[in-house]
């Protein structure tokens, strides 16, 4: 694997420069009632965001706002709410702006405070206060598995599991990581998140080959027998597609070191998970029955923004009224005629 360099930006909870069985399977809507089984959340953010060019020529895709909050801040908040104490952001060379979002800007904070803009001050302080942030640079774009592998050097020796959150996937409502933690505490191994997609869409996803868990009390917890990447409908083993949330045993790093690179020399995370399954490592999936937005393409990004805005008291009522007016049959804006 290509070596990478890492930079710590940890600072007292704010970024600065520089398997035992326990209880029954939780419902997907449940909230955490016990300590999380991971301390570190890994967010791969090394991509170029080409589908959003020219906007991403200067602004990293992960910083594009969903209404008024960058997507990566939403993902970081999800990780923090589920018990993560540290965020490891995997970036590419020169892509420092993503990590900078979690750095205190004391000059801006002082200006907002002096002007009495305390609501905005609270917003500005949220990201740096979520959790400690460490950046790791992926020197070459060699696949998701390679990106995740770069995070191992940032872990403490006693950490036996990590969460991986893909910033393109916005999973709502939040809380699925809590459920995944409970499943890992009871069943060990690694736990993945899935959404049930329409049959005609399976070819756009990595799809799970699953089987029921005989003693599961939650039908949304299934055993994973394998994974198929973007299958044809006739070859799809199920309609359960990967949803960008992984709770991985530390054994994943050893597996990543033993798989063969695919096209373009890339290491795929799914290949490493499949290797673990073949060796008897328990892997389960939690089927999330909420919604999932793809922030990695403009269409999904727009839907996420509308969804978020409709749920906000400050934007929702006015936006709902305008949408009803805009979608009405009599909508027919006219260009003002010259005199």
């Amino acid at each position: 694997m290509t070596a990478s360099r890492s930079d710590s930006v940890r600072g007292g909870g704010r970024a600065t420069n520089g398997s035992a069985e326990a209880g029954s399977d939780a419902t997907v809507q449940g909230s955490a009632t016990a300590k999380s089984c991971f301390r570190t959340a890994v967010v791969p953010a090394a991509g170029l965001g080409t589908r959003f060019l020219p906007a991403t020529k200067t602004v990293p895709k992960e910083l594009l706002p969903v209404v008024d909050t960058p997507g990566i801040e939403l993902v970081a908040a999800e990780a923090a709410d589920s018990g993560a104490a540290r965020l490891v952001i995997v970036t590419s060379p020169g892509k420092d702006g993503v990590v900078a979002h979690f750095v205190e800007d004391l000059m801006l904070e002082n200006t907002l405070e002096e002007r009495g803009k305390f609501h905005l001050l609270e917003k500005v302080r949220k990201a740096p206060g979520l959790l400690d942030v460490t950046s790791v640079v992926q020197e070459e774009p060699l696949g998701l598995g390679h990106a995740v592998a770069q995070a191992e050097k940032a872990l403490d020796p006693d950490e036996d599991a990590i969460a991986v959150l893909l910033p393109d996937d916005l999973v709502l409502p939040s809380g699925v990581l809590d459920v995944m933690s409970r499943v890992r505490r009871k069943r060990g191994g690694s736990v993945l998140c899935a959404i049930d997609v329409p049959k005609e869409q399976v070819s756009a996803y990595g799809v799970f080959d699953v089987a029921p868990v005989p003693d599961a009390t939650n039908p949304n917890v299934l055993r994973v027998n394998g994974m198929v990447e973007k299958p044809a409908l006739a070859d799809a083993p199920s309609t359960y597609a990967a949803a960008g949330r992984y709770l991985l045993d530390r054994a994943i790093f050893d597996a990543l070191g033993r798989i063969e690179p695919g096209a373009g020399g890339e290491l795929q995370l799914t290949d490493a998970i499949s290797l673990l399954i073949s060796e008897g490592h328990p892997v389960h999936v939690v089927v999330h029955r909420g919604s999932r937005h793809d922030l990695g393409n403009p269409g999904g990004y727009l839907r996420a923004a509308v969804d978020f805005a409709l749920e906000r008291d400050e934007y929702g009522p006015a936006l709902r009224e305008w949408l009803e007016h805009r979608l009405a049959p009599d909508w027919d804006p006219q260009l003002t005629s010259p005199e």
Side-chain angles (χ1 to χ4, degrees), residues 1-7 40 42-46 88-92 134-155 162 164 250 252-253 256-257 265 267 269:
M1 294 184 184
T2 304
S4 69
R5 65 183 187 274
S6 63
D7 299 288
T40 297
V42 177
V43 177
V88 176
I89 303 176
V90 184
T91 65
S92 54
T134 298
S135 67
V136 177
V137 175
Q138 183 186 23
E139 298 288 356
E140 298 180 61
L142 296 177
L144 177 58
H146 181 265
V148 171
Q150 307 313 304
E152 184 179 19
K153 62 177 67 66
L155 303 183
I162 61 166
V164 176
R250 192 162 184 155
I252 193 66
F253 294 111
L256 286 167
L267 293 178
L269 186 61

Side-chain angles (χ1 to χ4, degrees), residues 65-71 73-75 77-78 126 170-174 291 293 295 300-317 319-320:
V66 181
V67 183
D68 58 1
T69 305
E73 182 177 327
L74 296 173
V75 170
E78 178 187 349
K126 183 176 181 181
L170 197 55
V171 179
L172 301 172
S174 62
S291 62
H293 293 295
L295 299 182
Y301 172 81
L302 286 172
R303 286 189 290 272
V306 172
D307 197 4
F308 256 65
L310 288 173
E311 294 298 321
R312 298 275 291 274
D313 291 340
E314 55 191 310
Y315 305 117
L319 176 60
R320 192 181 307 276

Side-chain angles (χ1 to χ4, degrees), residues 110-261:
N110 289 338
T111 298
L112 293 174
E113 190 167 13
E114 289 171 359
R115 296 178 180 179
K117 297 184 177 182
F118 300 109
H119 179 57
L120 292 177
L121 180 62
E122 182 181 359
K123 288 184 175 182
V124 168
R125 285 176 170 171
K126 183 176 181 181
L130 286 171
L131 68 183
D132 292 346
V133 176
T134 298
S135 67
V136 177
V137 175
Q138 183 186 23
E139 298 288 356
E140 298 180 61
L142 296 177
L144 177 58
H146 181 265
V148 171
Q150 307 313 304
E152 184 179 19
K153 62 177 67 66
L155 303 183
D156 296 327
D158 64 337
E159 292 186 79
D160 58 6
I162 61 166
V164 176
L165 297 87
L166 303 190
D168 283 354
D169 289 302
L170 197 55
V171 179
L172 301 172
S174 62
V176 70
L177 285 172
D178 299 334
V179 182
M180 294 163 68
S181 289
R182 293 176 178 179
V183 173
R184 173 176 159 85
R185 281 196 296 271
K186 181 175 182 179
R187 304 189 181 279
S190 298
V191 185
L192 317 177
C193 178
I195 54 172
D196 194 359
V197 300
K199 290 182 179 180
E200 60 271 16
Q201 296 181 15
V202 293
S203 60
Y205 296 90
V207 177
F208 296 110
D209 179 4
V210 297
V213 179
D215 64 336
T217 57
N218 179 3
N220 291 314
V221 176
L222 302 167
R223 187 178 76 249
V224 178
N225 295 325
M227 303 176 70
V228 182
E229 195 64 34
K230 298 182 178 180
L233 176 57
D235 301 324
S238 74
T239 55
Y240 296 127
R245 298 293 181 269
Y246 306 82
L247 182 53
L248 301 172
D249 189 271
R250 192 162 184 155
I252 193 66
F253 294 111
D254 176 70
L256 286 167
R258 291 188 288 124
I259 60 173
E260 293 295 325

